[in-house]
Amino acid sequence: MICAISGEVPEEPVISKKSGLLFEKRLVERHVEDYGKCPVTGEALTMDDLISVKTNKTVKPRPLQAASIPGLLGMFQIEWDQLMLSHFALEQQLHTARQELSHALYQHDAACRVIARLKNERDEARTLLTQTERHVPMPASTAVAANDSTFSNGKRAAEDEELGSGGKKIRPGISANIITELTDCNAILSQQRKKRQIPPTLAPVESLEKYTQLSSHPLHKTSKPGILSVDIHPSKDIIATGGVDTNAIVFDRTSGQIISTLSGHSKRVTSVKFVPQDEFFVTGSADKTVRVWQGSEDGNYNCRHILKDHSAEVQAVTVHATNNYFVTASLDNTWCFYDLSSGLCLTQVGDASGGDGYTSAAFHPDGLILGTGTLEALVRIWDVKSQSNVAKFDGHVGPVTAISFSENGYFLATAAHDGVKLWDLRKLRNFRTFTPYDSNTPTNSVDFDHSGSYLAIAGSDIRVYQVANVKSEWNCIKTFPDLSGTGKATSVKFGPDAKYMTVGSMDRNLRIFGLPGDAAEES
């Protein structure tokens, strides 16, 4: 019995009632479903017209060539030849693919070399331009134009930065020339520190024990009271404050008068820093921007740059020892390294492990190490040259509100909700903890004086400790009045030689503490 369609013995034979033809069941059913007629006669045909035929299991005969040994050898030879031809074709395709890949890799390597050379030339040109700008004073008309155009990163991105995949900005990076500059600065400062002696003009412990409040200045608006950050010019007797009212104030301590009110931020000013180089002044804000200001001869400050590299609140600004660069830290979990003169973000460093953002930042006195505090109660230590995280300090409770390096470079003080911890940077361990306040009162600020002899802590009150070594006791030599009734202290800063101390609080007052004999000077 042979199937009328395939011409072979069917496995499941069926017969048509109408034509009497024999079919393979699966073949004729498919044809009937598609066309509804007999594949041979063309008559109308349905499934009901097909009758299954019961037969014994069909055993297909072997092909003729398989009936003898020579025939089998011939079949094997044919299959072997086909296998060899297929193998040869695959080898040819592999060889061609290797040649194409080798050519593509060569082109990629050449392109990378060209790009690297062009980037080096660009970095060298930018460095020369920056050095030229530092030596050429900026005309007042240019400063006004800069203030009008705002030097926003949106415009500068189109000129100085390229966009990579996903729209991310490609930063120029910290060039070899800048790393050399940072390294040379580190070598000089480290050498000076080895020969460093406590200056004879430093206020002694007996003087700090007699410190009292000399004056209080309500600098910011009453509608949104509160001072969040304080800084003191290293060579002038002027103080800067950043407030909740979105303004930064530059204040003359000697005359007790406001020199300049810096407006422009749309939200609270979280951090302020003086830069002696060309009288620059940097402010960070909760409006996600950083502003670089430059002082003029009339005492006012003009906005040189508005930097918009962060995507969340800027919490801290810290200036490098060269006074040519600064770093900003933000709640977007990144910190940015900027060239001060050009306002260019050279690199933006994020934490690959995730996190909730940075709340504080400070440079080590030598300038090659950066410390950052996080919302997750963690302190991270970074190598500035490689932008790599080289150490982590944990143990705090709550966000790290402030960090401060001692002048000798050995100690790091960090403040958080649970108080202040002192870390030995040589052994990377916590060797002392201060818990000055109760569990409901966080420590908001901590600051070593410039000589590294005293440490100030601010929260519901202000406390000053005498700096000792790892094994010796750090004695509290002075506790200033409790501010909890008038507004908690948010920031504290020592003046030159610890001759006085400034405190910012949430009642918008800038308080100045010093020897009672200096009260007349403060009036």
Side-chain angles (χ1 to χ4, degrees):
M1 297 185 296
I2 303 299
C3 175
I5 298 177
S6 63
E8 296 180 356
V9 177
E11 294 180 0
E12 293 183 71
V14 292
I15 296 176
S16 172
K17 292 180 182 180
K18 296 183 178 181
S19 63
L21 294 173
L22 181 70
F23 298 101
E24 176 71 62
K25 183 178 179 181
R26 58 183 176 79
L27 296 177
V28 73
E29 283 183 348
R30 187 179 304 170
H31 190 276
V32 170
E33 287 177 359
D34 293 341
Y35 302 102
K37 58 184 179 180
C38 177
V40 177
T41 64
E43 296 176 337
L45 190 65
T46 65
M47 297 296 183
D48 296 333
D49 296 329
L50 299 175
I51 302 174
S52 298
V53 178
K54 294 183 179 180
T55 62
N56 295 329
K57 185 177 180 181
T58 304
V59 179
K60 295 182 180 180
R62 289 184 296 176
L64 182 61
Q65 59 269 33
S68 63
I69 292 178
L72 288 172
L73 293 176
M75 289 173 58
F76 294 155
Q77 182 65 48
I78 293 172
E79 291 181 3
W80 174 259
D81 293 342
Q82 292 176 346
L83 180 61
M84 289 297 100
L85 289 173
S86 176
H87 179 69
F88 177 76
L90 289 175
E91 282 191 339
Q92 290 292 100
Q93 292 177 3
L94 178 61
H95 180 69
T96 303
R98 282 178 173 173
Q99 286 184 329
E100 293 176 352
L101 178 60
S102 176
H103 184 65
L105 290 175
Y106 175 78
Q107 287 184 327
H108 178 267
D109 181 67
C112 289
R113 291 176 182 274
V114 172
I115 292 172
R117 178 174 57 81
L118 293 176
K119 283 185 175 181
N120 288 335
E121 293 176 356
R122 181 195 62 185
D123 291 342
E124 292 176 359
R126 281 178 173 167
T127 302
L128 291 174
L129 177 61
T130 301
Q131 292 174 352
T132 304
E133 288 179 347
R134 293 194 188 117
H135 292 86
V136 178
M138 186 178 185
S141 59
T142 305
V144 173
N147 191 22
D148 292 339
S149 63
T150 72
F151 284 88
S152 67
N153 274 13
K155 178 179 178 180
R156 190 165 62 259
E159 299 174 349
D160 298 327
E161 297 178 344
E162 301 171 352
L163 292 179
S165 59
K168 294 182 179 179
K169 294 178 181 178
I170 301 176
R171 309 296 183 187
I174 302 178
S175 67
N177 291 335
I178 296 177
I179 291 177
T180 300
E181 181 182 359
L182 302 183
T183 305
D184 291 344
C185 176
N186 171 77
I188 294 173
L189 293 177
S190 298
Q191 187 66 27
Q192 292 176 351
R193 184 166 291 106
K194 293 178 181 178
K195 302 177 182 179
R196 182 182 66 90
Q197 296 181 351
I198 302 298
T201 54
L202 179 70
V205 174
E206 295 77 13
S207 296
L208 267 73
E209 291 175 342
K210 299 177 182 178
Y211 274 11
T212 184
Q213 180 172 315
L214 302 179
S215 60
S216 179
H217 307 276
L219 300 183
H220 292 267
K221 297 178 181 178
T222 57
S223 58
K224 293 183 178 180
I227 294 175
L228 301 178
S229 179
V230 171
D231 194 32
I232 300 175
H233 196 288
S235 59
K236 296 182 179 180
D237 211 6
I238 59 176
I239 304 166
T241 61
V244 180
D245 62 357
T246 74
N247 293 329
I249 303 293
V250 179
F251 176 78
D252 188 331
R253 186 183 76 95
T254 304
S255 65
Q257 301 296 318
I258 294 176
I259 298 175
S260 181
T261 299
L262 283 59
S263 301
H265 286 293
S266 60
K267 293 185 178 180
R268 62 185 182 276
V269 177
T270 56
S271 184
V272 294
K273 283 294 179 183
F274 280 110
V275 187
Q277 182 83 13
D278 297 326
E279 296 303 322
F280 282 115
F281 180 66
V282 186
T283 58
S285 170
D287 63 6
K288 308 176 186 178
T289 68
V290 177
R291 289 178 179 249
V292 179
W293 312 77
Q294 187 173 28
S296 57
E297 294 180 356
D298 58 3
N300 292 321
Y301 282 79
N302 299 310
C303 183
R304 285 278 313 262
H305 307 292
I306 299 179
L307 313 175
K308 301 180 180 179
D309 296 280
H310 288 293
S311 59
E313 294 185 9
V314 177
Q315 292 285 296
V317 174
T318 179
V319 179
H320 190 267
T322 58
N323 291 323
N324 295 330
Y325 310 98
F326 67 94
V327 162
T328 60
S330 168
L331 292 182
D332 64 4
N333 203 35
T334 67
W335 56 268
C336 292
F337 186 94
Y338 287 96
D339 177 84
L340 180 66
S341 179
S342 65
L344 178 65
C345 178
L346 300 179
T347 186
Q348 185 169 15
V349 181
D351 180 16
S353 62
D356 293 331
Y358 296 114
T359 54
S360 52
F363 271 113
H364 186 273
D366 291 342
L368 289 185
I369 294 177
L370 175 71
T372 57
T374 72
L375 281 173
E376 299 176 320
L378 190 66
V379 179
R380 298 181 185 276
I381 306 299
W382 303 82
D383 181 352
V384 177
K385 293 191 295 184
S386 63
Q387 300 96 61
S388 58
N389 185 197
V390 294
K392 296 179 183 178
F393 298 147
D394 56 6
H396 270 300
V397 175
V400 179
T401 54
I403 63 177
S404 178
F405 287 95
S406 67
E407 178 60 23
N408 62 13
Y410 298 153
F411 305 135
L412 171 65
T414 59
H417 192 88
D418 58 341
V420 173
K421 290 185 180 293
L422 298 174
W423 308 87
D424 186 346
L425 297 176
R426 293 164 295 184
K427 297 184 178 180
L428 300 179
R429 67 180 182 90
N430 169 230
F431 67 91
R432 186 162 280 102
T433 299
F434 300 131
T435 54
Y437 313 118
D438 58 41
S439 59
N440 296 322
T441 304
T443 305
N444 297 312
S445 182
V446 62
D447 181 58
F448 282 102
D449 80 297
H450 185 66
S451 70
S453 301
Y454 305 112
L455 175 70
I457 296 173
S460 61
D461 60 19
I462 303 97
R463 305 186 184 197
V464 178
Y465 292 81
Q466 184 176 14
V467 174
N469 56 34
V470 174
K471 297 182 180 179
S472 301
E473 189 66 28
W474 293 46
N475 297 319
C476 181
I477 58 179
K478 183 69 176 180
T479 299
F480 294 97
D482 188 350
L483 301 178
S484 58
T486 57
K488 63 180 180 180
T490 56
S491 52
V492 61
K493 189 75 176 178
F494 280 106
D497 292 327
K499 296 293 186 183
Y500 65 92
M501 187 172 61
T502 61
V503 176
S505 67
M506 288 305 293
D507 63 356
R508 80 188 181 95
N509 282 293
L510 172 67
R511 291 176 171 82
I512 300 177
F513 296 86
L515 285 173
D518 294 335
E521 183 182 353
E522 297 295 334
S523 60

